Amino acid sequence: MAGPALDRVRVAGRRLVRAGHPWFARGVCYGPFPVATGPPWFPDEATLRRDLDAIAGAGFNCLRTYHPPTPEMLDSCAERGLSVLAGCPWSWHIDFRAEAGILPEARCRLAAEAARAAGHPALAGWVVANEIEGTLVRWLGTGFVRDALETLVAAGRVADPEALFLY
């Protein structure tokens, strides 16, 4: 299936742009899927293609995943003009200050996943965490949580400097 050629989504001042034109995310979450699915955490190829056709056909231009997309998934998204805001899960729901290995492991995983997908036109960016519980933020301190998230972003940017990073 041939689709529109994609340029990466980029920041231009206060706006997001693609190919020099304003880009507004009209997105849908894709997943999470049952744990039994296991890596690569997405449905089989035929189901994925059917789902992506339906997403693009409904007028969406991006999807948010909860796991890193496979290269095949990114290619399928690019064929349909879809961008991906990819999650890279880690244990943000527990005390990641007390559990000393959590943040270094998360940085390594994000850097590896960002390097694997670096430069792919369908990858708009990475979601570095999702809804860190308010009581946990108060327990750890806002400064610590902010610094932790910034170290994740920094690790990802080393691997893919042009990707967007968001929380």
Side-chain angles (χ1 to χ4, degrees), residues 18-152:
R18 171 177 279 143
H21 300 285
W23 185 82
F24 300 94
R26 292 181 311 278
V28 62
C29 290
Y30 190 64
F33 296 95
V35 175
T37 306
W41 305 107
F42 297 104
D44 62 84
E45 182 87 16
T47 303
L48 175 69
R49 288 182 174 276
R50 187 174 55 248
D51 290 349
L52 295 178
D53 285 340
I55 290 167
F60 295 105
N61 65 359
C62 71
L63 44 129
R64 193 271 202 243
T65 65
Y66 292 89
H67 290 91
T70 63
E72 297 79 18
M73 180 180 185
L74 288 173
D75 291 343
S76 290
C77 287
E79 290 170 5
R80 291 157 179 81
L82 296 168
S83 294
V84 178
L85 294 170
C88 191
W90 58 281
S91 298
W92 62 70
H93 62 286
I94 63 174
D95 184 345
F96 49 89
R97 182 193 307 234
E99 301 290 332
I102 290 175
L103 276 174
E105 181 181 315
R107 283 191 294 268
C108 287
R109 180 163 185 222
L110 178 60
E113 294 293 348
R116 186 178 52 76
H120 198 290
L123 182 77
W126 294 94
V127 181
V128 297
N130 189 45
E131 302 170 12
I132 298 175
E133 162 77 50
T135 55
L136 183 59
V137 173
R138 286 190 292 280
W139 175 258
L140 296 172
T142 57
F144 176 80
V145 172
R146 182 193 62 241
D147 292 347
L149 294 173
E150 287 178 358
T151 66
L152 288 166

